[in-house]
Amino acid sequence: MKKLINNPNEVVQEMIAGIVAAYPNQIEQVKGTSILMRKGAPTPNKVSIISGGGSGHEPAHAGYIGKGMLDAAVLGEVFTSPPVDQVYEAIKAVYRDPGVLLIIKNYTGDVLNFEMAAELAEAEGFHIAKVIVDDDVSVEGSTNTTGRRGIAGTIFVHKIAGAKAELEGTLEEVKAIAEKTIHNVRSMGMAISSCTIPAVGSPSFNLAEDEMEIGIGIHGEPGIERKPLAPAKEMTEELVEKILRDMALQQDDEVAVMINGLASTPLMELYIINNEVQKILENKGINVYRTFVGEYMTALEMGGCSITLLKLDEELKTLLDYPSDAPNFLMK
Amino acid sequence: MKKLINNPNEVVQEMIAGIVAAYPNQIEQVKGTSILMRKGAPTPNKVSIISGGGSGHEPAHAGYIGKGMLDAAVLGEVFTSPPVDQVYEAIKAVYRDPGVLLIIKNYTGDVLNFEMAAELAEAEGFHIAKVIVDDDVSVEGSTNTTGRRGIAGTIFVHKIAGAKAELEGTLEEVKAIAEKTIHNVRSMGMAISSCTIPAVGSPSFNLAEDEMEIGIGIHGEPGIERKPLAPAKEMTEELVEKILRDMALQQDDEVAVMINGLASTPLMELYIINNEVQKILENKGINVYRTFVGEYMTALEMGGCSITLLKLDEELKTLLDYPSDAPNFLMK
């Protein structure tokens, strides 16, 4: 295992210290926890939004804490759901009367722990709403998942729900727009190289030197197929076709595009993939309103990418464009 | 070679198409060239700023095109200086009367080609100034370099000179602030894994499974030493000590910090390194004004990082904080 770390069992705590040190005016740690929150949260009269999950997907989710996005992120150990008590502590830390929305990626452990924390909080009279993101069209259930997995499309849910909350939407309104975003977003990924959980020390899976895996999950969960590495054009066509088969997109519809690097794949290659995606959409008469290319939801040092399409209407466009000062999703 | 590309000989052109497709309202290609420029450039009454160099260091430099940073970036082939005629075309494309500043990383080919292009333009009566960035303290000359190499500190030069130009500084003033930034910035890098130039197809160098190289360049040029991979704490101490030995920093001085990933190193590890850097600076009584953690100047898919410190005064702080809408250096 070749990593720039100290103790493999302390990577999350040391990372948390490094995040707070990087953004001391924006992000603070809830003392004694693995919760990061927007400095000064909760904001009066605003629904608070919490997301989180296992670590190893940075900048997800701590990098999306800020005005216009998340109020708190709960950080589990690497590829491990955060425990119930941490989610519950996060709710208490950022709670204000309009209530709290939990944005949960669809993994069995995450769903269970976030839901149990919500029940605990509701028993105390807190208003809690929750949505589950399952944007990954590759497989209908996988290791650690009942139903589709939640992957990079989650960031669009953070962004749009966060904007609605900033505009003082009610808990019901913020939940409704998050659900609309989930309804409209689809993603799919692929990998060319594996990753190693620090505390494990050996690769989570292996791919041959000429092999790629289509539809792989962000923890290395099996996808659809392993096959010889194809040129970017063919690979992109396969991912986009699968996404479009699952979306009701018509000519002249507008979408946001996210080309997400899993970590080891350089920006150069993500731009080459973006070029292919845009050509496919242009040929189908689908208009691209806005494009995001970069690392948004990674998988430790895995090589590969995911492609996300979000179908937009005027309401979603306005909220997508709303300012954010989250360190990893700055928008003016 | 395992890359998400099509033709290894067309990666730069396909990447350019992917960048323009991602930011169609901000960046345009100068037709028939490998030059990207700010849409609508040149801006009246503003010094134009051009940088560039070999590709493979994305987001450097095209991602820094925008209001408050660069007016154009000249993209060479991978790890190859852009030819004289392309630099000359870039000057012509963004030229306005206050003149053009060229920000050049210190590599023999880059310096030669940018200087020859400047001479051609000056012969036509254009006002050209140039600065050479040599922030890498690791070695005093290396493959392709006379004197120190220019690495991630270059981004701070883009940012600060770009702000001064936006504030309608004269060519002399913009050049002077760029030189002051160069005088105040120091960087050093290290690698744990190699990279492969697409058109070559085999790794540029090899490191053993337990080995790191301290002081390596962003093209894999030899550094100071190869030795067993150390914990992040020790490695960071070594880089920061070497940087500080070369800088006249006193207690209570203020700095900007950049923790730059070379590409394969996940953000999690960059935050762990940031935590170590901040502890060292705190122990020395050096105040951190602002921190940047991410991928700013990469080396294809190389694994590793660089650390940059920029000594600040009130003038540099104001310019560092000035708004930028460059896609990879957004600041409000």
Side-chain angles (χ1 to χ4, degrees), chain A residues 64-220:
Chain A
Y64 305 120
I65 295 172
K67 192 167 153 61
M69 286 187 85
L70 301 182
D71 294 275
V74 194
L75 286 73
E77 287 302 309
V78 175
F79 290 2
T80 304
S81 301
V84 176
D85 70 297
Q86 294 287 298
V87 181
Y88 174 68
E89 288 298 325
I91 293 171
K92 285 205 300 185
V94 300
Y95 191 82
R96 270 289 163 107
D97 251 355
V100 161
L101 176 70
L102 304 178
I103 299 177
I104 312 165
K105 299 198 300 298
N106 191 34
Y107 297 97
T108 308
D110 286 27
V111 172
L112 196 68
N113 292 354
F114 276 77
E115 286 189 342
M116 283 182 64
E119 281 171 29
L120 286 175
E122 281 167 339
E124 295 186 31
F126 290 2
H127 304 291
I128 312 289
K130 51 188 187 290
V131 296
I132 297 173
V133 188
D134 58 350
D135 54 314
D136 185 347
V137 301
S138 61
V139 288
E140 283 296 334
S142 170
T143 325
N144 304 328
T145 325
T146 304
R148 288 176 171 180
R149 301 173 295 221
I151 56 171
T154 309
I155 315 308
F156 284 137
V157 184
H158 293 349
K159 179 67 192 73
I160 286 167
K164 187 73 182 174
E166 212 65 56
L167 292 164
E168 301 194 356
T170 64
L171 184 57
E172 290 65 32
E173 288 168 343
V174 175
K175 182 186 178 184
I177 200 76
E179 284 181 332
K180 180 174 169 179
T181 308
I182 293 167
H183 182 75
N184 283 14
V185 71
R186 297 291 187 283
S187 302
M188 190 160 153
M190 59 80 64
I192 60 168
S193 63
S194 186
C195 62
T196 297
I197 297 172
V200 173
S202 55
S204 299
F205 61 97
N206 287 293
L207 280 169
E209 194 39 49
D210 65 342
E211 229 180 9
M212 64 176 175
E213 180 159 341
I214 297 290
I216 200 166
I218 55 173
H219 311 92

Side-chain angles (χ1 to χ4, degrees), chain A residues 15 17 27 53 105 141 170 195 294 316 328:
Chain A
M15 172 177 75
I27 296 179
K105 299 198 300 298
T170 64
C195 62
L316 292 177
N328 292 91

Side-chain angles (χ1 to χ4, degrees), chain A residues 1-6 10-19 21-25 55-59 63 67 78 190 192-193 198 207-212 229-235 263-276 278 288-293 295-296 298 300-301 303-305 323-325 327-328 330-332, chain B residues 1-6 10-19 21-25 55-59 63 67 78 190 192-193 198 207-212 229-235 263-276 278 288-293 295-296 298 300-301 303-305 323-325 327-328 330-332:
Chain A
M1 176 173 65
K2 212 167 184 184
K3 288 180 187 286
L4 301 178
I5 61 173
N6 295 304
E10 288 171 11
V11 291
V12 175
Q13 285 307 316
E14 292 187 16
M15 172 177 75
I16 285 173
I19 293 172
Y23 310 111
N25 303 321
S55 292
H57 305 299
E58 293 69 32
K67 192 167 153 61
V78 175
M190 59 80 64
I192 60 168
S193 63
L207 280 169
E209 194 39 49
D210 65 342
E211 229 180 9
M212 64 176 175
L229 179 62
K233 181 174 190 297
E234 278 172 44
M235 180 280 289
S264 289
T265 294
L267 200 46
M268 169 182 271
E269 297 175 30
L270 300 181
Y271 281 123
I272 290 171
I273 293 163
N274 182 49
N275 184 39
E276 299 299 337
Q278 306 271 343
V288 177
Y289 178 68
R290 197 152 188 156
T291 302
F292 301 85
V293 182
E295 292 179 359
Y296 294 97
T298 60
L300 291 169
E301 71 277 15
C305 70
S324 155
D325 71 2
N328 292 91
L330 287 170
M331 285 178 84
K332 290 204 281 192
Chain B
M1 178 174 64
K2 212 168 183 184
K3 288 180 187 287
L4 300 178
I5 61 173
N6 295 304
E10 287 171 12
V11 290
V12 174
Q13 285 307 315
E14 291 186 18
M15 172 177 76
I16 286 174
I19 293 172
Y23 310 111
N25 303 321
S55 292
H57 305 299
E58 294 68 31
K67 191 168 153 60
V78 176
M190 59 81 62
I192 59 169
S193 63
L207 280 170
E209 195 39 48
D210 65 343
E211 229 179 8
M212 64 177 175
L229 180 62
K233 182 175 190 296
E234 279 172 44
M235 179 279 289
S264 289
T265 294
L267 201 45
M268 168 182 275
E269 298 175 29
L270 300 181
Y271 280 124
I272 290 172
I273 293 162
N274 182 48
N275 185 39
E276 299 300 338
Q278 305 273 341
V288 176
Y289 179 69
R290 196 153 191 158
T291 302
F292 300 84
V293 182
E295 292 179 357
Y296 295 96
T298 61
L300 292 169
E301 71 277 16
C305 70
S324 156
D325 70 2
N328 292 90
L330 287 170
M331 285 177 85
K332 289 204 282 192

